[in-house]
Amino acid sequence: MESSDSEFSAPIDYVPGARGHGVLATGPDADGSEALAVWCLSPTGRAGGAWVVRIDEIEGHPEHLLGIMSMLQNRCLVDWDREGPSAVLDKIAEVISAERFIALRNSILTIPELLAEVDEHRSRYAAAVEQHRVHTKSKLAPLAWPSEMPLQEELVGWAGRTGAAAASPVVATALGITAAVASTAQLWQDTEQARYRRAYLRPLGDPQPLPPQWLARLREAAGSPSTVSA
């Protein structure tokens, strides 16, 4: 028995208890100068704010960067690996407070980890279908996902092409990460849609906007003290 798609008719963006993600990237700006890109993303990867600051201007005007970095409070940084955001934080460690540095350093998510969690749940749901098949006389079609899980290399390539038309390389990097996060969140929502259509899979839980571990990390970051200074 299948349900309607009404539960999923609108894109899921507001997630109670979670503020979202931050993206930090360095690279050449439109003039070729080294710059820092800071992107604020919703829990499902929608960009809500973006800034580009030249590295050589940060020392002379630290208050500008402090204001921007305050927008990342209670968010998880996200990138393809942990080394990228960590390296950027090291570059600006003397500008931001030790409290903010530590909070961000301890709240880094990687896109491969997020993909792996979505894939793990798809395997779990597919196994539940097979288990149900054993106990029913009805013919059960395999779970059909609206979109298949991409290989990491495929997602990297697609994300790179998404940012190819950006005004500068540093913006292209930030846009690529943003696109990858949004795509991974959509893969999860596609997963929950396919599962919840089947009544016998609903006891596995109500539809969730993000996978459990991913959501828990965002909520953990959002629960940190809001009085941390820049």
Side-chain angles (χ1 to χ4, degrees), residues 21 76-83 85 105-122 149-152 155-156 180-181 184-185 187-188 210-215 217-218:
H21 311 82
C76 286
L77 297 181
V78 62
D79 207 327
W80 296 104
D81 53 44
R82 299 181 186 279
E83 289 72 21
R105 191 72 173 265
N106 292 337
S107 301
I108 298 176
L109 302 175
T110 69
I111 295 168
E113 290 173 343
L114 305 182
L115 285 169
E117 188 177 5
V118 176
D119 194 41
E120 177 185 347
H121 281 270
R122 286 195 175 191
M149 293 294 300
L151 297 174
Q152 182 179 331
L155 186 59
V156 170
V181 174
T184 304
L187 285 167
W188 171 255
L210 291 172
Q213 294 179 27
W214 183 355
L215 182 55
R217 290 293 303 279
L218 291 180

Side-chain angles (χ1 to χ4, degrees), residues 7-24:
E7 299 98 327
F8 306 90
S9 59
I12 300 172
D13 196 42
Y14 170 68
V15 178
R19 191 173 182 195
H21 311 82
V23 174
L24 296 177

Side-chain angles (χ1 to χ4, degrees), residues 31-171:
D31 297 327
S33 300
E34 186 180 16
L36 167 66
V38 182
W39 254 240
C40 287
L41 312 181
S42 73
T44 56
R46 295 191 177 190
W51 300 265
V52 177
V53 184
R54 285 177 51 162
I55 297 295
D56 60 10
E57 295 178 347
I58 291 176
E59 184 175 352
H61 303 281
E63 68 282 352
H64 181 46
L65 180 61
L66 289 176
I68 294 172
M69 292 300 293
S70 70
M71 306 302 284
L72 298 184
Q73 184 168 304
N74 296 352
R75 297 176 184 268
C76 286
L77 297 181
V78 62
D79 207 327
W80 296 104
D81 53 44
R82 299 181 186 279
E83 289 72 21
S86 294
V88 176
L89 287 172
D90 287 341
K91 286 186 177 183
I92 60 175
E94 295 184 0
V95 178
I96 63 176
S97 69
E99 292 86 352
R100 189 173 300 287
F101 177 89
I102 293 171
L104 292 173
R105 191 72 173 265
N106 292 337
S107 301
I108 298 176
L109 302 175
T110 69
I111 295 168
E113 290 173 343
L114 305 182
L115 285 169
E117 188 177 5
V118 176
D119 194 41
E120 177 185 347
H121 281 270
R122 286 195 175 191
S123 296
R124 177 186 171 218
Y125 297 160
V129 171
E130 293 308 310
Q131 184 176 10
H132 186 74
R133 190 192 306 277
V134 175
H135 302 289
T136 183
K137 296 180 180 179
S138 302
K139 292 184 177 180
L140 299 176
L143 279 171
W145 310 115
S147 52
E148 294 299 322
M149 293 294 300
L151 297 174
Q152 182 179 331
E153 295 77 9
E154 294 174 338
L155 186 59
V156 170
W158 172 81
R161 292 190 294 275
T162 300
S168 65
V170 70
V171 171

